[in-house]
Amino acid sequence: MTAMIKRNVSEMIACDYCHFHRCRWTKHTAGDPPENCPGNAFFSISDTYLEKDEFRRRVDIARRIARYNSAEKVWYLDPTRNDPFTGYDLKRVIEVEVNNWSPENDLNLMDVIEYVGIGFESAD
């Protein structure tokens, strides 16, 4: 499939992993996030019991990229969070952390968008 849009990895926000079809998410960047979020893509922080410290660590990460829905017991991606992960840090957190917390977590970038590495990478 051919990429239709080019987007800098450094401008990525949670919307890049949600890509809700009724939202104009491709118009928003780390410097210009949406004012509100319908909340379409979700994830879990664990399928089993976690030790207290690990649970808190995951919740701290989740709070920077999502909001919790207590009725459904899942986290919905939300780029309007305080101090959100963006760019390379967001990409690392989703791909290295969140997608490994549960087999049900499967947050991915869209194939029709070409993500280019313009900008500064996170120092890991």
Side-chain angles (χ1 to χ4, degrees):
M1 185 173 264
T2 304
M4 301 174 81
I5 299 170
K6 285 190 178 187
R7 192 160 166 86
N8 295 336
V9 173
S10 61
E11 294 178 348
M12 285 176 39
I13 57 176
C15 302
D16 287 273
Y17 286 95
C18 177
H19 34 83
F20 184 47
H21 67 281
R22 292 187 177 176
C23 178
R24 296 181 54 135
W25 64 272
T26 58
K27 303 292 182 198
H28 297 286
T29 65
D32 181 28
E35 291 182 19
N36 55 45
C37 176
N40 187 53
F42 60 89
F43 63 91
S44 298
I45 62 168
S46 178
D47 294 332
T48 60
Y49 174 81
L50 294 173
E51 293 294 328
K52 187 176 181 178
D53 290 341
E54 179 63 12
F55 175 77
R56 285 186 179 170
R57 187 184 77 77
R58 290 184 185 190
V59 167
D60 288 343
I61 290 170
R63 283 183 177 153
R64 292 185 62 187
I65 59 173
R67 69 178 178 276
Y68 187 67
N69 181 314
S70 58
E72 298 176 26
K73 297 184 179 170
V74 295
W75 292 83
Y76 281 93
L77 289 179
D78 185 350
T80 67
R81 307 307 298 165
N82 290 333
D83 190 27
F85 284 111
T86 60
Y88 290 96
D89 291 331
L90 174 66
K91 188 174 187 324
R92 180 187 51 76
V93 164
I94 297 287
E95 294 174 5
V96 174
E97 292 271 351
V98 175
N99 280 341
N100 291 317
W101 290 346
S102 167
E104 301 295 316
N105 295 350
D106 189 28
L107 300 172
N108 293 298
L109 299 171
M110 288 190 78
D111 293 341
V112 295
I113 297 180
E114 179 183 351
Y115 288 90
V116 293
I118 298 172
F120 297 103
E121 290 195 38
S122 174
D124 278 337

